[in-house]
Structure formats: structure tokens, C-alpha cells
Amino acid sequence: MFSDTLPLNGTNLGLCLLLIAALWHWYTASRDRFITYKKRDNAKGVPLTFPYVFPLLGCLPIAYLWNPRAFVLNPSNFFQSAHPVLVKILTQEFYVIRGPENVRALFRGSWACTSIPFVKFALGYAFGLPAKALSLYDKDDSGGGPVPHPGSNVEARNRIDYLVYQSMIRFLEGKGLVPFWNRFADNITQQIHSLYDGIGPEWEYRADLMKVVGDEATVSIINSLCGPYLLSLNPHFLQDFWEFDRNLQTYLQGMPWFLAPRAYAVRTRVLNAVKTWQQHARDHFTDSAIGADGDDPFWGSSFFRERQEMFLEMDGFDYDAIASEDFGAIWAARNSVTAASWTIFEIYRDPELLASVRAEVDACAREGADGCIRFDIDQLLRLPVLQAAYAETLRLRMNFYIIRMPDRVDLNIRDWVIPRRKVIVTPTTVAHMDSEAWNTGLNNEHPVDKFWIGRFLRYPPKGTSGEASPTFSTKELEGSWIPYGGGPRQCPGRHFAKRQILLTAALMVSLFDCEILEEGRDVQEDFTLKGFGSGVSHPAGTVPMRIRRRDRGRM
């Protein structure tokens, strides 16, 4: 019996060894070519494929499942290639772009790209957009510009990619921004002063600084966006909003509902809340409710009222589909809220930084007729230390994948050619943690994984007459500081986000003394598979603190 099986086993063993040898030879040859490619400054043309051993698996990122951030920053993996590189994983492939010059070139060429496949993916998987409405994205080959692509037969009313983005631009960069901002500034000022009224001059314990700030900012943004009825008709919406956000990766990973019933129940609740609010608006809105700024208390911003009309003219859209699209727009505020919480955390954690920020904001604070401290946002936008704290927070905490796809023509990135209809991925984490691109101090005393506002401050040369005041700038960091993406479709909410973060931070440091307790001073970010890659990261734990009213006479 044994003699009968030995030749077969020996043959199998020999074939296995031969296969392993062939695979290893193939891998080492491709690796050597890739190493040579990386070292060449003039390597141009079609990017090489990142080497892998097993043809069917490709560069299967098993380690990503346990620690996504560590994987992305591992110097030996494909995200760290100095030149553009093609990555193959199972049946999928994409190109990776990194380095300031390459990223700037990518953004310059983004006019030739489409975002439709990725918008459709997010709306379908995360926000539950029904299939009929999703199909409109598949049919839209008209492009993102005001003039449709030649040969496109899409009706003007069904140009969903162009129309949705233009509605965002009008709201966040056009006529809608000023009234939206004014409402938010009034709302957050009232919210934080109400918090001030509820806290005494003696130290009080609070379980989580991040939640205190996050709740106040979220309520203010939602009321400013949607009017008062979304929250008043749905008392649990605030809690459900953040629980949905914590489960975002569950939806995007395509996990079936029966494996994550609580996550999908939360999504159902937030969508039902939006439907309840919007039905209330349809039932009660009249033209006479529209104010001088074009907004009204039922829809809130004219943005949502106008989108109702826009979407209902499109094929496949009903009230359920509109709720999914509009909740996506509401959810997008999560990045600026979380960034505001981290900015305030960093300021309170560093007494020297707190003193510098207070010196800036106290000088431009004024007391309104209602007794509330108020700030002119244009003055806050000129404060170098406060702006540097904002920018460094986004550099350190923003973990997101910028995705582009050339639509009808190949994309040229500094003479590397990315074929049309191929996905391009640029992680913000890689750009923001590039020690070759960022100032780390004279003796590398400020590594890129630590918070340091000096990366964004420029000081006059020594010997300059007068006080050496720093200036804030990000212009020299184009292609390295990319929290909002770049190019024609960079985040339209960036103007509001910056103002929101600066004003929220200015109000908090003006009105409160906060002492972060020892167990919260070194809180880490959530870099698990569930927490990484959705934007500004949440903390992995809480930030307990002591808080008291600040003596306003010392301002």
C-alpha cells in the first residue's frame, strides 16, 4: 500500500516545489524590475505593477484587516511607492499616487475625471439609496461640466452628477453660504453660552470633552442646515447620527444586515427621521414662510427645498430616495464637528498653546447686546496660531482615500499615463505623514505623528525690526496638506468647515477653563478597520475632564 502511494506523493511534491520555484522566480524578477523602477528619476510611461507572489490573489492586504493605518504607512507596501504604481488585488486593480508633485499633477488633471462610480457606491451601500434612483448614475454619461459630453443623450433633468454637485456649490460656495454661516454663528454662540450658564465657577467633572463639544456643534449645524424641526420631531436623531457614523465602514464593506442588525436598524432610524422632517415641511411650508435670505423654518436652508424640486424631476426618484441623498449631505458635517473637538482637545492639552490662542481670540472678542461674546469671523481667519491649530489637526487626524477615475481620456501625471476608466487612489494619511515633505524641527524633535503647529507657521528672519509675529500659510504645502482633496471637485464645504472649527474653538477657550484628566491626555485615535478611512478619526476612548466658567473679567 505504501509503495503504491510513494511515487504519487513524490510526484506531487516535485510539482509543488517546481511551482513554488517558478512563482518565486517570477516574483523576484518583477520585484527587481520594480526596485529599479523606483530608483529611476526618469521612469515614465505606463506605471509598473506592484510585485506579488500569487497571480490570483495579487497584493492581498491581509495585514490591513488588523491595523489599516500601520499597513498604509508601511514603507514596503504599494501605498509608499515614490512613482505611480498599478496594484492588483483579486479581480480588482487600481493605481496609487503619492508625493507632492504627483498629487498636484493629479489634481490639475482632475477635470478629466469622473466621481460617479464612487458616489454611487457610497450612496447605495452607506445611505441606502434605492436601486431605481441609483440606476440614474449608471445612465449619466453627460460629464460633470455645464456642457454635456458629445454624444450623450441624457436629458438635462437627469444629469444627476452635474446637478447635485452644482446644488452643493451654490449652497456652500455661492449665495447660500452667507445665510447658512450667519445662522450657524448665532446658533453655536447661543449653544455654548447656554452651556456656560449651566456650569459654575468651580470645577465640575464631565465624562468626555469630545462629546460635549461634538453635541453642541452638531446641534448647531443641523439646526442651521435643516431648521428646528428635524431635531424637535426626532429627539433621538443626534444619538442615531453618531451611531450611524461609527458604523459607516460596516455599510461600505457590504456586510449583510443579518450580521449587523443594530447597524442597519440605526440607518433605518436616521432615514426615517429625515423622511418625517421632510414630510412635515411638505405639509406646512408656504411661500410666505421664506425669509429675506431665501430660507425658511420648515426646510431650513433653501438648499433642501430646491433639491426636492430638482430630484422629483429626475427619473427613479421618490421621497425615500431624496431622504437618502439629503441625509448624505447632512452626514458630511461630521468631519468638521470631529475636527473641532480634536482642535479644542489639543489646545487645552498644551498650556502654552492655550495661552497663545487665548491671547489671539481675546483681542478680537466683543460682547453683544445680549451679553454673549461674539467674534467677527474675518478676524478669526487672520489669527495665525488658531489657524495653525486647525490645520495641524486636519493633517494629523484626517484619514481618507481620495479617489479619481479618468473618464474619456487617459490621464497624464508628470508623463506617467493612467489609462481611462482606471481607478486612482491617494490616501491623505500617506501625504500627511510624509516626513520628507513636512517640517519636523531642526533636530527632528517634532515627528510627523505628533501634534505641532509650527509646521504651518512662518517667522520673519532673525534681526527683523519689531516683534517677530508668525504668519500662517498652507501655500507651500500644496500636494502635501490635502484634507479637502483638490482640483475642480475638492470639498465644497471647506470654507464652512474652517470657519466652524475656528469659531467653535474660539468660543470654548474664551468661556471655559478645561483640565483634561490624566487618563484622557494621551487618548489614541480609532485605527481599527471599523474606524479608519472615513475622514477625521474618532478617539478610541473618552476624554474625561474638569471644566469651569472662565472669569470673563480676565479677558
Side-chain angles (χ1 to χ4, degrees):
M1 179 184 295
F2 290 109
S3 61
D4 291 340
T5 59
L6 278 174
L8 181 59
N9 287 342
T11 301
N12 288 345
L13 179 61
L15 289 173
C16 287
L17 291 174
L18 183 62
L19 178 60
I20 291 172
L23 287 171
W24 185 251
H25 175 75
W26 175 77
Y27 168 71
T28 55
S30 61
R31 182 194 61 188
D32 291 343
R33 285 196 304 272
F34 189 76
I35 291 173
T36 303
Y37 168 75
K38 285 203 302 182
K39 292 180 178 179
R40 288 172 54 199
D41 292 331
N42 63 342
K44 304 295 181 180
V46 178
L48 283 186
T49 301
F50 194 84
Y52 53 88
V53 177
F54 299 104
L56 295 179
L57 299 180
C59 302
L60 197 63
I62 300 297
Y64 187 91
L65 302 176
W66 283 270
N67 193 329
R69 183 176 182 272
F71 178 86
V72 167
L73 295 178
N74 186 324
S76 63
N77 81 23
F78 47 78
F79 282 121
Q80 296 291 329
S81 173
H83 298 324
V85 61
L86 174 63
V87 179
K88 295 185 177 182
I89 300 175
L90 299 175
T91 61
Q92 304 298 313
E93 61 182 41
F94 57 90
Y95 290 83
V96 171
I97 302 295
R98 72 167 288 265
E101 292 185 352
N102 292 334
V103 172
R104 287 196 297 269
L106 171 64
F107 290 159
R108 284 195 300 270
S110 291
W111 62 269
C113 296
T114 178
S115 59
I116 284 180
F118 322 115
V119 171
K120 178 193 171 190
F121 176 84
L123 287 171
Y125 278 85
F127 298 98
L129 186 64
K132 283 186 177 180
L134 275 176
S135 68
L136 204 59
Y137 285 95
D138 291 324
K139 299 171 184 175
D140 185 5
D141 61 355
S142 65
V147 179
H149 285 320
S152 173
N153 294 317
V154 177
E155 294 182 57
R157 64 185 177 87
N158 284 330
R159 295 191 64 206
I160 188 167
D161 180 51
Y162 171 73
L163 292 173
V164 168
Y165 189 71
Q166 288 305 306
S167 74
M168 299 291 292
I169 292 294
R170 285 193 300 273
F171 178 52
L172 294 169
E173 296 187 13
K175 65 177 184 179
L177 178 58
V178 171
F180 175 38
W181 170 255
N182 289 338
R183 281 195 305 277
F184 171 78
D186 287 341
N187 210 303
I188 191 65
T189 299
Q190 294 295 335
Q191 284 286 133
I192 293 186
H193 276 84
S194 294
L195 180 66
Y196 178 86
D197 292 340
I199 290 177
E202 303 300 326
W203 288 112
E204 299 179 18
Y205 174 80
R206 291 292 186 275
D208 191 4
L209 167 67
M210 312 298 273
K211 187 176 188 305
V212 169
V213 176
D215 284 353
E216 302 298 336
T218 307
V219 167
S220 296
I221 290 177
I222 290 175
N223 283 338
S224 303
L225 269 175
C226 308
Y229 291 105
L230 175 55
L231 292 178
S232 65
L233 294 171
N234 304 281
H236 300 291
F237 183 79
L238 184 65
Q239 178 182 342
D240 290 339
F241 176 96
W242 287 110
E243 193 171 345
F244 170 92
D245 183 65
R246 294 279 189 170
N247 282 289
L248 184 70
Q249 290 297 329
T250 299
Y251 312 127
L252 293 177
Q253 291 159 17
M255 188 173 294
W257 69 267
F258 55 84
L259 294 179
R262 290 184 60 183
Y264 283 94
V266 167
R267 186 175 75 176
T268 298
R269 290 200 299 272
V270 293
L271 291 177
N272 284 341
V274 172
K275 294 173 194 176
T276 298
W277 157 56
Q278 295 192 335
Q279 187 58 55
H280 180 270
R282 284 189 289 269
D283 291 342
H284 294 85
F285 168 79
T286 61
D287 290 340
S288 62
I290 299 176
D293 58 5
D295 299 328
D296 71 86
F298 300 104
W299 289 106
S301 305
S302 60
F303 171 70
F304 289 111
R305 190 175 71 242
E306 292 168 359
R307 277 163 63 101
Q308 287 278 313
E309 299 175 7
M310 176 185 75
F311 282 129
L312 288 175
E313 290 182 356
M314 295 181 182
D315 293 340
F317 267 80
D318 56 15
Y319 293 151
D320 288 352
I322 295 173
S324 292
E325 287 269 3
D326 284 351
F327 177 65
I330 296 166
W331 169 85
R334 57 87 58 202
N335 273 323
S336 68
V337 171
T338 311
S341 300
W342 278 117
T343 301
I344 292 164
F345 165 81
E346 295 289 358
I347 292 172
Y348 278 124
R349 189 168 64 155
D350 182 342
E352 184 178 346
L353 177 58
L354 175 61
S356 296
V357 170
R358 277 181 168 165
E360 287 187 340
V361 301
D362 287 352
C364 58
R366 61 180 177 81
E367 186 169 312
D370 56 0
C372 294
I373 293 176
R374 296 190 178 272
F375 292 95
D376 180 341
I377 189 60
D378 290 330
Q379 289 184 310
L380 294 184
L381 288 168
R382 291 193 290 267
L383 302 181
V385 176
L386 181 60
Q387 288 188 90
Y390 143 84
E392 176 68 351
T393 296
L394 289 181
R395 183 200 68 82
L396 187 62
R397 310 293 186 185
M398 175 65 79
N399 297 287
F400 190 67
Y401 298 95
I402 298 169
I403 303 177
R404 300 284 189 269
M405 187 175 75
D407 189 9
R408 297 200 164 198
V409 296
D410 296 345
L411 182 63
N412 187 301
I413 297 178
R414 301 177 63 231
D415 294 331
W416 283 286
V417 178
I418 310 296
R420 61 181 293 273
R421 308 302 296 177
K422 295 295 183 181
V423 175
I424 303 170
V425 178
T426 298
T428 61
T429 311
V430 173
H432 293 169
M433 294 290 137
D434 185 352
S435 58
E436 295 181 2
W438 288 95
N439 178 9
T440 58
L442 293 175
N443 300 305
N444 200 34
E445 67 271 27
H446 300 291
V448 291
D449 62 346
K450 301 299 180 183
F451 186 92
W452 181 48
I453 64 170
R455 299 183 223 280
F456 294 90
L457 295 176
R458 304 292 177 265
Y459 290 86
K462 290 184 178 180
T464 303
S465 60
E467 187 177 349
S469 298
T471 58
F472 167 81
S473 176
T474 60
K475 286 187 177 180
E476 305 87 358
L477 300 168
E478 291 180 4
S480 295
W481 189 72
I482 53 174
Y484 300 114
R489 289 223 172 179
Q490 63 182 315
C491 174
R494 63 193 182 279
H495 306 296
F496 173 81
K498 180 176 183 178
R499 287 159 173 77
Q500 182 264 317
I501 295 166
L502 297 184
L503 179 57
T504 305
L507 286 165
M508 285 295 296
V509 301
S510 296
L511 293 173
F512 301 102
D513 292 322
C514 288
E515 179 185 295
I516 297 174
L517 301 183
E518 189 63 32
E519 57 266 38
R521 293 185 62 81
D522 296 316
V523 67
Q524 300 299 305
E525 294 166 76
D526 182 1
F527 291 141
T528 64
L529 188 63
K530 189 175 180 179
F532 182 84
S534 301
V536 178
S537 299
H538 286 293
T542 58
V543 181
M545 65 167 176
R546 296 197 307 160
I547 187 172
R548 67 183 180 189
R549 287 186 183 188
R550 185 182 178 212
D551 181 0
R552 290 171 62 173
R554 302 202 321 258
M555 293 175 57

